[in-house]
Amino acid sequence: MKHTSRRFLRLFLPTAFILFLSISYTTLHAQFAESTQQENGLLFHGIEQYQQGHYSLAAATLKEFLKQPHPNAELNHSKLTINNEVEKGQYYYFLSLIKSNDLSGIAHVEQDLNTITNLNYRSHVAFNLGQYFFSESDLQRTIQYYNLADIAYLDNEEIADKKFELAYSYFNEQSRVAIRLLELDENKILNEDWYSEKINAAINS
C-alpha cells in the first residue's frame, strides 16, 4: 500500500506542479493584458477626442493615461526614457494643452519640450507653440519655437505657415526695435542686415 502511494505521488506531484504553473501564468498574463488594454483604451480615447477637436477633454484623458504605471517607463534623474505608447500619449497631451489655450499647460509644455526624444513629435510640438504665440502676437517666442520646428518633419502646408509667420515676426521685431531706439533717442544704428538675413532665410528655407 505504501509503495502504491509513493508511486502515485511521484506521478501526480510533477503533473500537479506543471498544472499550477500553467494556471498561474495564464492568470497573470490575462491580468497584464487587461491592464494594458485599459491603459491603451485611455490613450486611443484621448487621441480620438483630440482629432475631434475636444482639446480640453483630450488633455484630461491623456493626463489620466500618463498617470498610470507603465512597466517600460523609467525616470532616471532628468533624463526621461519612455516607451512608444507613453511617448505618443505625451505628444498628444502637449498638443491638447496648446490647442485648448491652457496657459499653465502651455507653460508646462515649454518647460518639458526638451524631454521629447522623438524629433518628429518635438518638431510638431514646437511648431504648434510657434503658431500659438504668433496668434498671441508674442513674436519673440514665435521666432524661438518656429526655429525649433525642423521642416524635415513638417508637411507642405505647415512649412508654408512657418515661413510666412517667421518672416513676418522677424520683420515686425525689426520695426519694434527701431521704434524703441527712437523712443529712447539713442544715437544707435539698427543692424538691418541681421534682420534682413533672417527674413530672407525664413522665406527661402
Side-chain angles (χ1 to χ4, degrees):
M1 181 70 179
K2 290 182 179 179
H3 178 72
T4 304
S5 298
R6 291 195 188 105
R7 185 179 178 186
F8 173 78
L9 289 174
R10 282 199 300 270
L11 293 172
F12 173 75
L13 286 178
T15 304
F17 182 68
I18 293 171
L19 181 62
F20 171 76
L21 289 179
S22 176
I23 293 172
S24 299
Y25 172 80
T26 303
T27 302
L28 289 172
H29 181 74
Q31 290 175 344
F32 178 78
E34 182 180 359
S35 174
T36 302
Q37 188 175 15
Q38 289 174 349
E39 289 178 15
N40 289 348
L42 282 173
L43 173 61
F44 296 144
H45 184 49
I47 293 174
E48 184 179 38
Q49 288 174 320
Y50 173 84
Q51 292 171 340
Q52 292 173 348
H54 306 307
Y55 302 123
S56 296
L57 291 175
T61 302
L62 293 165
K63 182 178 182 180
E64 186 63 28
F65 165 75
L66 292 170
K67 285 168 57 179
Q68 304 297 319
H70 302 282
N72 296 327
E74 297 177 358
L75 184 61
N76 182 18
H77 301 295
S78 61
K79 184 176 181 181
L80 191 64
T81 304
I82 47 185
N83 62 26
N84 290 338
E85 290 182 346
V86 176
E87 193 172 40
K88 182 184 290 187
Q90 182 195 48
Y91 168 64
Y92 279 101
Y93 175 57
F94 284 172
L95 292 184
S96 298
L97 291 175
I98 298 169
K99 295 286 189 182
S100 61
N101 298 323
D102 183 329
L103 296 182
S104 61
I106 290 169
H108 170 68
V109 175
E110 289 187 270
Q111 182 179 350
D112 287 356
L113 179 63
N114 288 332
T115 68
I116 304 174
T117 56
N118 183 304
L119 295 180
N120 180 23
Y121 288 168
R122 188 192 299 178
S123 292
H124 277 93
V125 171
F127 173 82
N128 277 270
L129 283 171
Q131 276 196 324
Y132 169 78
F133 286 116
F134 183 80
S135 70
E136 295 294 310
S137 299
D138 187 337
L139 301 184
Q140 288 185 345
R141 283 201 276 187
T142 297
I143 293 169
Q144 175 187 350
Y145 289 112
Y146 269 146
N147 280 327
L148 293 176
D150 190 336
I151 61 172
Y153 301 101
L154 305 180
D155 62 32
N156 290 336
E157 184 178 352
E158 290 168 334
I159 292 171
D161 286 345
K162 172 185 171 176
K163 286 183 177 181
F164 171 77
E165 294 179 2
L166 190 57
Y168 176 93
S169 299
Y170 276 126
F171 178 80
N172 281 276
E173 274 296 286
Q174 176 188 9
S175 301
R176 184 189 65 81
V177 173
I179 292 171
R180 181 59 177 160
L181 290 175
L182 289 173
E183 288 175 348
L184 294 173
D185 194 25
E186 295 181 359
N187 294 319
K188 294 183 179 179
I189 300 175
L190 180 63
N191 185 358
E192 294 182 359
D193 291 339
W194 185 87
Y195 283 97
S196 297
E197 179 184 343
K198 293 296 184 182
I199 293 169
N200 290 330
I203 294 172
N204 297 322
S205 62

